[in-house]
Amino acid sequence: MKLDEAFSRYRQLVLVSASRRELVSESGRWELHIAPLLGKCQLAKIKNLQVMELRSALERKGLSPQSVTHCLSLLRRVLRRAVEWEFYRGPVPVFRMPKFDNRRIRYLDEKESAHLLQELQARSSLWHDVARFALYTGLRASEIYTLQPFHIDRAGKAVKVYDGKNSLSRVVPLNPQAWATVEKYLFRFHYGLPLFQEKGELPERHYGIFRRAVRACGFNAGISDRRERVCFHTLRHTFASWLVQQGTPIALVRELMGHRDIRMTMRYAHLAPSQGAVAVAALPSI
């Protein structure tokens, strides 16, 4: 069997249950970066050398380390499924991934957040409310876009997030600001549409509104490192950063953020350097 045929089966059997965004991303990576180099190869002919040649070719194309990793990870998943489905015996080649630190740690302070919300309000009340909700809940964009009224616990004033990015479900309490935003849309709800919509318009179709507001705020002026550039995900980092600065335990921040690995949450620990001093100061005097 050729590699392209294995991916076709992978798309039919695995990606069929993925989100539309994931399907488009994975298919695009395959067609643009993997298929031209290895698509016609027989599975048994793909060895360690072919994987390294693919990685070198992707790096020569100027792809970022993260993009190279995404492509190699997709190829590895397809090959592993091919062995599992007995398309060939294997073994799956060794994959040496690029090493990089792609974590975004930029967050907004209160003044910056107010400025952004003001710019958004002037352009779109829907995007203003989506951004405000993100600031006070830490939900990912994909989680906000797919919220339905039944995800809102009205009695407990919380939002239930099912099957998040790491396939983890969680409950995030809604503070007064987030609850006021939700109430506004609960009364506007149209059957069959996500919670956050306005006259049938969905925020993800008009992300340019958010980009223009960020540009008007000048947050990214002169900044070339993408880790320091403000994007919608920055609002999630802002939520976590504010919690840590206010003394919220890292374990609780992890739970609210829906991180599978505590190391993801530990990136915010430096924002509360005084917590350790406060903790040891509370020890009993003997």
Side-chain angles (χ1 to χ4, degrees), residues 237-252:
H237 291 307
T238 299
F239 169 78
S241 300
W242 287 354
L243 289 177
V244 171
Q245 289 172 328
Q246 293 169 5
T248 307
I250 287 291
L252 179 54

Side-chain angles (χ1 to χ4, degrees), residues 64-89:
S64 69
Q66 184 183 38
S67 295
V68 173
T69 297
H70 283 319
C71 291
L72 295 178
S73 297
L74 174 58
L75 174 59
R76 183 169 57 186
R77 289 195 297 274
V78 171
L79 291 176
R80 284 177 173 173
R81 290 286 188 167
V83 172
E84 177 185 332
W85 295 330
E86 300 180 345
F87 294 156
Y88 84 121
R89 293 184 177 181

Side-chain angles (χ1 to χ4, degrees), residues 126-173:
L126 175 61
W127 261 105
H128 166 273
D129 295 340
V130 167
R132 189 166 183 251
F133 188 76
L135 277 172
Y136 289 113
T137 61
L139 267 64
R140 301 175 178 90
S142 59
E143 294 168 342
I144 294 176
Y145 293 160
T146 55
L147 277 182
Q148 297 284 337
F150 57 81
H151 292 140
I152 305 300
D153 178 358
R154 302 191 189 201
K157 290 189 176 180
V159 57
K160 296 172 285 187
V161 182
Y162 293 110
D163 303 321
K165 179 180 178 181
N166 297 313
S167 300
L168 297 175
S169 299
R170 67 190 191 279
V171 176
V172 180

Side-chain angles (χ1 to χ4, degrees), residues 19-265:
S19 66
R20 183 178 179 279
R21 181 178 179 182
E22 184 179 358
L23 174 61
V24 171
S25 296
E26 296 284 62
S27 298
R29 290 186 186 108
W30 190 271
E31 298 298 332
L32 288 174
H33 305 305
I34 301 175
L37 296 171
L38 295 177
K40 303 305 179 184
C41 290
Q42 294 291 329
L43 294 176
K45 301 245 183 211
I46 300 175
K47 306 294 184 181
N48 299 342
L49 178 60
Q50 282 68 42
V51 173
M52 285 304 299
E53 288 176 342
L54 172 64
R55 172 177 165 175
S56 296
L58 296 178
E59 291 172 342
R60 287 196 301 272
K61 289 172 72 173
L63 268 63
S64 69
Q66 184 183 38
S67 295
V68 173
T69 297
H70 283 319
C71 291
L72 295 178
S73 297
L74 174 58
L75 174 59
R76 183 169 57 186
R77 289 195 297 274
V78 171
L79 291 176
R80 284 177 173 173
R81 290 286 188 167
V83 172
E84 177 185 332
W85 295 330
E86 300 180 345
F87 294 156
Y88 84 121
R89 293 184 177 181
V92 173
V94 174
F95 283 75
R96 301 189 185 281
M97 302 296 188
K99 294 182 179 180
F100 62 95
D101 183 357
N102 201 42
R103 297 174 299 175
R104 293 179 183 268
I105 55 175
R106 172 75 157 96
Y107 67 94
L108 305 179
D109 59 29
E110 292 183 35
K111 184 177 180 180
E112 290 175 322
S113 299
H115 188 189
L116 176 59
L117 291 178
Q118 183 180 20
E119 288 291 342
L120 285 170
Q121 183 64 61
R123 291 166 169 78
S124 165
S125 60
L126 175 61
W127 261 105
H128 166 273
D129 295 340
V130 167
R132 189 166 183 251
F133 188 76
L135 277 172
Y136 289 113
T137 61
L139 267 64
R140 301 175 178 90
S142 59
E143 294 168 342
I144 294 176
Y145 293 160
T146 55
L147 277 182
Q148 297 284 337
F150 57 81
H151 292 140
I152 305 300
D153 178 358
R154 302 191 189 201
K157 290 189 176 180
V159 57
K160 296 172 285 187
V161 182
Y162 293 110
D163 303 321
K165 179 180 178 181
N166 297 313
S167 300
L168 297 175
S169 299
R170 67 190 191 279
V171 176
V172 180
L174 299 177
N175 69 358
Q177 293 89 339
W179 178 249
T181 302
V182 164
E183 274 194 312
K184 174 180 175 181
Y185 287 87
L186 284 173
F187 291 108
R188 290 184 181 182
F189 175 68
H190 293 271
Y191 184 77
L193 289 176
L195 179 65
F196 284 104
Q197 54 78 32
E198 194 168 52
K199 297 179 181 178
E201 287 295 327
L202 304 177
E204 63 264 39
R205 296 176 182 171
H206 303 282
Y207 184 71
I209 293 173
F210 185 85
R211 284 199 298 264
R212 288 191 290 274
V214 170
R215 191 181 306 121
C217 292
F219 294 149
N220 296 331
I223 298 177
S224 57
D225 190 331
R226 65 181 299 277
R227 292 170 295 185
E228 286 294 327
R229 293 178 64 84
V230 172
C231 62
F232 189 81
H233 205 69
T234 304
L235 305 182
R236 176 170 162 84
H237 291 307
T238 299
F239 169 78
S241 300
W242 287 354
L243 289 177
V244 171
Q245 289 172 328
Q246 293 169 5
T248 307
I250 287 291
L252 179 54
V253 176
R254 174 194 180 186
E255 181 180 336
L256 294 173
M257 294 287 284
H259 288 156
R260 181 180 294 277
D261 193 331
I262 189 67
R263 288 177 295 183
M264 290 289 292
T265 322

